[in-house]
């Protein structure tokens, strides 16, 4: 009998599943489209895989890298190593510990190459914001939009400090962006806009404005 695997969580009642003589087993982690998904939502295994992928990409170009001028070295690292380490990060709900692990690995590689390392927190956040902008402009029948904006009814968040959600980084970035723009006096007729941004699911509203969203992404790149 052929065996396939599915991922569940603590809210699912477990039972044996057989489909057309195929046994469906419950697993604590599943690889799908190049990413490892864990039943508890953690990124521990996925970040470890991204770091291994980054070192594999680094070692593949190591000889050419160390023989190249610094400008070329930076170009090689940002076009080979960084994409390998941030693959799929648009959907991450990463913790500070995850970002620190990525940063340590990247810093080691860039140090070997004699280059200044990028800020991995900003690298991940910038990619996440770009994806969120695409999602916000999708039609409402697209699965990516449905699951990104889905709010499970009847399920209260646990007591204590609530677990981090995917959209939390995006909402925080919007607040910082609006604060900085206000300090610069760039909001113009922004009082109405601020009201929109602070509304529920604000990121999916402001993301429809391409100009504003690009400014938000650029602010992360510029280090604001």
């Amino acid at each position: 009998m052929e065996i396939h695997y599915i991922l569940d969580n603590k809210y699912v009642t477990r039972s044996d599943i057989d489909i057309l003589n195929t046994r469906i087993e419950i697993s604590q982690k599943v690889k799908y489209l190049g990413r490892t998904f864990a039943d508890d939502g953690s990124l521990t295994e996925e970040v470890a895989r991204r770091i291994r992928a980054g070192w594999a990409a680094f070692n593949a170009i190591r000889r050419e890298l160390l023989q190249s001028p610094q400008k070329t070295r930076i170009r090689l690292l940002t076009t080979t190593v960084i994409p390998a380490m941030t693959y799929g990060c648009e959907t991450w709900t990463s913790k500070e510990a995850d970002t620190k692990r990525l940063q340590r690995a990247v810093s080691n590689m860039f140090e070997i190459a004699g280059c200044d390392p990028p800020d991995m927190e900003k690298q991940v956040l910038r990619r996440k914001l770009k994806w969120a902008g695409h999602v916000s402009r999708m039609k409402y029948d697209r699965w990516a939009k449905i699951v990104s904006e889905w709010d499970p009814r009847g399920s209260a968040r646990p007591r204590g400090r609530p677990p981090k959600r995917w959209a939390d980084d995006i909402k925080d970035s919007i607040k910082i962006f609006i604060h900085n723009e206000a300090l610069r006096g760039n909001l113009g007729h922004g009082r109405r806009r601020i009201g929109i941004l602070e509304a529920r699911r604000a990121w999916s509203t402001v993301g429809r404005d391409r100009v504003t969203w690009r400014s938000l992404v650029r602010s992360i790149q510029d280090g604001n």
Side-chain angles (χ1 to χ4, degrees):
M1 176 183 289
E2 188 177 4
I3 300 177
H4 292 266
Y5 298 93
I6 62 172
L7 193 69
D8 70 353
N9 57 34
K10 61 183 179 181
Y11 302 105
V12 177
T13 301
R14 295 196 174 191
S15 60
D16 294 333
I17 304 174
D18 292 301
I19 301 177
L20 298 177
N21 202 36
T22 300
R23 171 62 58 86
I24 308 298
E25 297 284 354
I26 306 297
S27 177
Q28 292 183 327
K29 58 183 179 180
V30 171
K31 292 181 182 179
Y32 180 66
L33 295 178
R35 178 183 164 180
T36 300
F37 293 87
D39 60 355
D40 60 356
S42 69
L43 287 171
T44 302
E45 180 66 24
E46 176 59 15
V47 169
R49 292 185 69 244
R50 292 299 101 219
I51 292 174
R52 290 195 296 270
W55 277 111
F58 179 84
N59 289 325
I61 61 170
R62 186 166 186 155
R63 178 178 298 178
E64 294 79 5
L65 181 70
L66 298 181
Q67 296 175 351
S68 301
Q70 186 177 39
K71 187 175 181 179
T72 303
R73 277 179 272 163
I74 295 174
R75 177 77 173 174
L76 286 171
L77 290 168
T78 54
T79 56
T80 57
V81 173
I82 299 301
M85 299 190 71
T86 56
Y87 174 81
C89 69
E90 295 84 352
T91 62
W92 288 0
T93 304
S94 53
K95 298 179 181 178
E96 184 179 357
D98 299 322
T99 307
K100 285 184 176 180
R101 290 171 62 202
L102 282 175
Q103 188 66 59
R104 283 196 298 269
V106 167
S107 296
N108 288 338
M109 297 179 206
F110 274 70
E111 183 179 356
I112 293 173
C115 304
D116 294 329
D119 187 324
M120 291 307 293
E121 183 178 4
K122 291 180 180 178
Q123 290 281 334
V124 171
L125 179 57
R126 189 159 60 248
R127 285 166 169 79
K128 190 170 181 177
L129 287 171
K130 287 181 178 179
W131 170 244
H134 291 311
V135 172
S136 65
R137 294 186 291 272
M138 290 179 179
K139 294 182 179 180
Y140 287 97
D141 60 349
R142 296 282 298 276
W143 272 109
K145 189 173 186 68
I146 292 172
V147 299
S148 296
E149 298 185 1
W150 177 57
D151 185 11
R153 296 181 179 179
S155 59
R157 302 193 76 184
R159 292 182 178 181
R161 185 176 182 179
K164 187 177 180 180
R165 294 173 293 190
W166 177 80
D168 288 345
D169 289 334
I170 299 169
K171 294 176 181 178
D172 290 342
S173 298
I174 291 174
K175 291 178 181 178
I176 295 172
F177 173 68
I178 289 299
H179 175 72
N180 290 338
E181 289 297 291
L183 291 177
R184 297 188 183 99
N186 294 335
L187 288 179
H189 60 287
R191 288 203 173 273
R192 180 177 63 84
R193 178 170 292 182
I194 288 177
I196 293 175
L197 293 176
E198 292 178 348
R200 189 167 180 267
R201 295 179 181 175
W203 69 269
S204 60
T205 301
V206 69
R208 298 169 196 164
D209 183 343
R210 290 179 182 270
V211 175
T212 301
W213 199 257
R214 286 172 181 168
S215 298
L216 170 61
V217 175
R218 193 161 50 246
S219 73
I220 303 299
Q221 186 170 358
D222 293 340
N224 298 328

